[in-house]
Amino acid sequence: MAQNRLRDCLNARVSAGVFSKEKADMLEALATDLEREYREQMAPELAGQAAAAEAVRIMREAAEANKRRTALQIMAQTRALDDAATHPDGVVAGGMALLVRDMRGKATFSNVEARKEVVLGQLFRRAEQGLNAFRSKAAGLVQNTAGMRNVVKELFGEATNDAEAKGFSKGFTDASDYAADRFIAAGGDLTKREDWRLPQVHDAQRIRKAGFEGWRDTIMPLLDDRTWSRLESMRQELIGERRTVEDAIATATKQRDELKAKAGASRQQFESVSGTATSAERRIRDLDRQLAEVNRELEAQRARAMEHQLNARERRLNEVERTAADADALLPDQQDAAAAARRGDAKAGRDRVRAGEADTAISRLESRRADLERQLDAQRVRRADAEEAVKGKSGHWQAYEEDLRRLEQTISDLEKNRRIIKDRITAEPGAINAAHREEVLRYIFDQMTSEVPASLKPGTMAASRHNARRFFEFKDADSWLAYNDKFGAGQGGLYDVLVGHMEGMARDIALTEILGPKHGATVRALQEAAYKAEGARDMGVLARLNPVRSVESAAAIGRTYDVLSGRLGAAQSELTAAIFGGIRNWMTASKLGSALVSAVPADSVMATWAAKANGVPAVKLLGSVLKQLNPASEADRAFALRMGIVSSAVMDSAIGSKRFADEIVGQGITGRMASFVVRAQGLSAWTNGMKNAFMLEMMGHVADNAGKPLGEVDAPLRKMLERYGFSATDWDVIRAAPQMEHEGARFFDPANVSDRQLGERLMEAIIEERAFAVLEPDARVRQLTTGGLQRGTFMGEMARSAMLFKSFSITMATTHLARAFIDANGSKVAQLAALSTMLTLAGAVSIQARQIITGKDPRRMDDPKFWGAAWMQGGGAGIFGDFFAAGLDRGQQGLPMTLAGPVFGLADQAARLAIPDYRKVLEGEPTKFGAEVARFVRYNLPGANLWYSRLVTDRAVMDTIQSMVDPDYRQSFRRMEDRARKDYGQRFWWRPGQAPDRAPDLEAALPR
């Protein structure tokens, strides 16, 4: 009865135009759901009334939430545009500074990347005990996967008598609640459910392989009835969503047509003013040519006039001389004298006529020249006006073209969605039944296995990214685990699910807080402003070739956002991404086993340099690093995590466990090999230790100065605070916060600051200063090394492969070099020179250490080539330093292959194996095939170059392999020694193919 009255009421509202049909259907479906639930608690009539009232309240709250999100978006977008516009170096630099650390060091506002790390630190500190207890250990070979199953059971409220699992369950729940509340407060589209426990991930590849029937038959018995009670609401939402998609297609199509017209008109205007500028340029060139001809003719006329004048003077002089010489002879003969006089007068008259003609021609040419110069001035003004118009128009049509491209993609994706939805969801409302369940599950299956980007898949609140992961409700922990084991993260991926959820929430919170709920729209607005600013600048050839544009431009803003939002990480083709990604992982596993040897000296220099710049003593920093690296100092590492310092140690996946029981070696085997090599050599522990130590010492330094007003704070720290925009009032709020104590030392804790934004902004500032201590590629660098192209595309994978191992050098350029050369002065250049000197010394240490661990004596240090290589090594381009002394790099490849990257170098080496010298084979001559095989294995075997075992591996394994496959292995070994002696003046202390007969000769490094 109540349901009928509600339907009649809704139909009346629809007829009156108060409600849309979609909204009425959603309200009725929600009331039906609620009534079914309330019937268990009250009389049917009362249940219907209560359900109707509650449905209206929920819909009203949803409408208010939409209004609130719109308001928050407007405020966030306005704030972002204002921040970008007020950046001292313009809106382009300001737009990039909203996304990543400002490489110019002038931004006083927050950015997405630093905010994400701060938020993630706040989530991790809430789950600190569980993260430390269940993270992978022993270089990723060990992880308590059985304990993680207990964590899932604890999250479902099932007691396991596992204290660590219970603690992790509570910590994760606290972190998830904090993240959800903060995301919603920022305007995020999320419906918080009290019965939500943990996210459910879905492996699209395994679901696709099982097919709809196999997936459906697995999941249906595992779902709780509450899922089915929500399906009717979802079905009605999808009915409305189908209409919404169709409306969106119509709207987008209309917008596309309008944009095409605007883009066409704007481009025509651009081409018109460009044509005017080109026409003016052609006219200027023509006038310049004519003026040049007039000037040449004028010079010729002047030369002729001068010649006539000289001739006349010469003749008069000759006449006078003849008259003086022959005066006596001429006197008697008056007639001859008169005739001579007449002849002289005639010649003089003729000369005067000729001179007059020349003067007239010169005057005419000068008048012509003046006229041409006036025309030239007019054409130059015309050209300048046209060029100014070109600058103003170029940004407009480029922005239109970019928007049009995005809109075309949106329409294409919406069309895919419409095809997916079509004929799947029936339009008749009513109680959920088996057919409806089938329809909805079919729809979900198609969504999970389609290639449509998640951000464009249909759905309102219930189908948003985070809400979608909260839809399914499983009966109990065993049901959740059963599904997860088959179609989710797998048995070995439970820890990654929880950590990945916190990382994803931190990313979305940062994007929403900085750029607004519709952060994509804010970025497009920033790009449009940046394009206009670029169009208004004089973008000549040199300006367009400026390498800074690759990391700071309107286009770079869009690419950086794609990196931060995760769009570039979503594979367009899983197969393509797996092939190229596997090769890159293989290269990492086979090339970076001794990276620690280079990292320790260089990182030590940069970290102490950055610490000194902020007033932290180098001795304290290095002491803190040693404590972080000490295996017995687990409490120090736990304290860093508890202070909100993000550590990759708790984010690394386990290497030794398979995700799924039916796998032979497990997915991502090459990725696990690469991760093992990085962690087994100690590089991961070293990097985490450096980051933790720098952050803790900076937080301790802040605490040490908390008793002073800003004017009395240590000068380096005060300058840092002022550079990031902190006022004396801000500092007073920060220093009033309670401090944390650990082993007798006090530390600044951002969570204790009464103004959360101030505390987090200071934490962001410390993180940004850390970028100069421990170089890690940020989103600005990653947009360059990926080419801004999506993973799984051919060009995107080629770009990633070509830029492999080059991000460190680019990061050096965007940190230390940018700080020195942007607004350069003598002090900055001097500081860079001092840092470069220290890094060169660090590079020298790295080179000599590498010589010893490869069985060679140290290189001579009185050789200028050595110091050139050391300078390159200190800047992160050590492999190119090999070319100072030799024509090949350390992998025995030339400069072109080194520039192309190790992936292409691998292809070159493989080609040598696949294409042997057939002529020598046919003629029975010996080939170098065996040597090529040995070299290929030596330089491409994962884990073979771990710094502490590579020499033994080389001599005991690699030399043995070469002696088996290379008939001329003795000559090959001799060539290795000869090359070392010729190129570097070195000898082997452990010769190839032999046992060591002496220790390294350290005196070989000294001048001779």
Side-chain angles (χ1 to χ4, degrees), residues 338-354:
R342 285 195 296 272
R343 285 197 299 272
D345 291 341
K347 289 179 179 179
R350 184 178 61 192
D351 290 338
R352 283 194 297 273
V353 169
R354 288 176 176 174

Side-chain angles (χ1 to χ4, degrees), residues 496-549:
D496 297 337
V497 170
L498 304 190
V499 173
H501 173 71
M502 289 187 279
E503 188 175 9
M505 288 298 295
R507 175 195 62 204
D508 290 339
I509 289 169
L511 285 167
T512 305
E513 288 183 347
I514 303 295
L515 302 175
K518 297 181 179 179
H519 33 80
T522 302
V523 170
R524 286 193 293 273
L526 287 170
Q527 279 190 283
E528 184 173 355
Y531 276 123
K532 290 178 180 178
E534 289 179 340
R537 290 205 307 249
D538 182 13
M539 297 295 289
V541 175
L542 292 179
R544 294 185 182 279
L545 293 177
N546 187 345
V548 174
R549 281 181 51 79

Side-chain angles (χ1 to χ4, degrees), residues 307-386:
E307 183 180 358
H308 293 321
Q309 292 174 3
L310 290 173
N311 290 338
R313 289 178 187 152
E314 184 69 24
R315 281 192 295 273
R316 283 197 297 272
L317 181 61
N318 292 337
E319 185 66 24
V320 169
E321 289 175 350
R322 283 196 300 272
T323 301
D326 303 333
D328 295 338
L330 292 174
L331 287 175
D333 191 356
Q334 296 295 327
Q335 293 181 347
D336 291 342
R342 285 195 296 272
R343 285 197 299 272
D345 291 341
K347 289 179 179 179
R350 184 178 61 192
D351 290 338
R352 283 194 297 273
V353 169
R354 288 176 176 174
E357 290 175 351
D359 290 341
T360 301
I362 289 172
S363 298
R364 185 173 63 252
L365 287 171
E366 287 178 341
S367 176
R368 173 63 174 160
R369 181 175 66 177
D371 180 59
L372 287 172
E373 287 175 343
R374 284 194 296 272
Q375 293 185 51
L376 269 174
D377 291 338
Q379 290 299 326
R380 288 185 178 122
V381 171
R382 180 177 174 229
R383 180 180 62 180
D385 291 341

Side-chain angles (χ1 to χ4, degrees), residues 274-300:
S274 297
T276 301
T278 303
S279 173
E281 185 65 34
R282 284 198 299 268
R283 181 60 178 157
I284 287 171
R285 287 197 297 268
D286 183 56
L287 289 171
D288 279 333
R289 180 183 55 76
Q290 294 182 44
L291 186 60
E293 291 176 356
V294 167
N295 284 330
R296 283 195 298 272
E297 188 175 351
L298 184 61
E299 290 299 321

Side-chain angles (χ1 to χ4, degrees), residues 702-911:
V702 170
D704 292 342
N705 283 270
K708 309 172 187 176
L710 184 61
E712 299 176 10
V713 169
D714 292 352
L717 179 60
R718 184 179 69 252
K719 290 179 181 179
M720 187 271 279
L721 293 170
E722 292 171 347
R723 188 167 64 249
Y724 286 96
F726 291 97
S727 65
T729 304
D730 296 336
W731 172 246
D732 288 341
V733 174
I734 290 171
R735 69 194 187 100
Q739 298 175 357
M740 291 285 288
E741 289 194 13
H742 177 67
E743 296 183 353
R746 295 179 303 148
F747 298 88
F748 156 72
D749 186 357
N752 291 337
V753 179
S754 58
D755 186 334
R756 189 192 75 191
Q757 291 185 350
L758 272 180
E760 292 189 348
R761 180 64 186 127
L762 181 53
M763 196 68 171
E764 292 167 7
I766 295 173
I767 289 171
E768 293 183 26
E769 287 301 303
R770 189 194 66 201
F772 295 88
V774 184
L775 299 193
E776 291 183 312
D778 59 10
R780 183 196 304 267
V781 174
R782 293 199 300 275
Q783 64 85 22
L784 181 61
T785 57
T786 60
L789 301 169
Q790 191 174 357
R791 190 171 70 94
T793 62
F794 178 75
M795 293 307 298
E797 295 300 328
M798 292 293 285
R800 287 165 171 80
S801 299
M803 298 302 290
L804 187 63
F805 304 154
K806 296 182 176 68
S807 60
F808 185 89
S809 300
I810 300 172
T811 304
M812 175 69 79
T814 60
T815 50
H816 293 286
L817 295 183
R819 175 172 279 186
F821 289 117
I822 292 177
D823 298 333
N825 55 44
S827 175
K828 286 185 174 182
V829 174
Q831 289 179 7
L832 178 64
L835 176 61
S836 179
T837 300
M838 297 298 294
L839 286 174
T840 300
L841 294 175
V845 173
S846 297
I847 289 175
Q848 300 294 40
R850 193 170 64 242
Q851 306 311 305
I852 293 173
I853 64 175
T854 54
K856 302 173 187 174
D857 291 330
R859 287 176 57 177
R860 292 180 56 185
M861 297 179 67
D862 58 352
D863 184 357
K865 295 177 181 179
F866 170 82
W867 291 106
W871 180 74
M872 295 288 286
Q873 178 71 42
I879 193 169
F880 295 101
D882 294 341
F883 295 102
F884 275 101
L888 300 175
D889 66 12
R890 64 198 62 167
Q892 302 305 304
Q893 292 185 314
L895 182 60
M897 281 295 104
T898 303
L899 288 171
V903 173
F904 297 97
L906 177 68
D908 177 63
Q909 294 175 20

Side-chain angles (χ1 to χ4, degrees), residues 238-270:
L238 294 177
I239 293 170
E241 188 62 26
R242 179 177 59 188
R243 299 190 184 99
T244 302
V245 168
E246 292 171 348
D247 292 343
I249 291 174
T251 301
T253 303
K254 182 179 178 181
Q255 291 176 349
R256 179 187 62 188
D257 295 339
E258 292 174 353
L259 267 178
K260 279 184 177 179
K262 289 181 179 179
S266 180
R267 184 143 195 173
Q268 285 178 356
Q269 294 175 3
F270 173 76

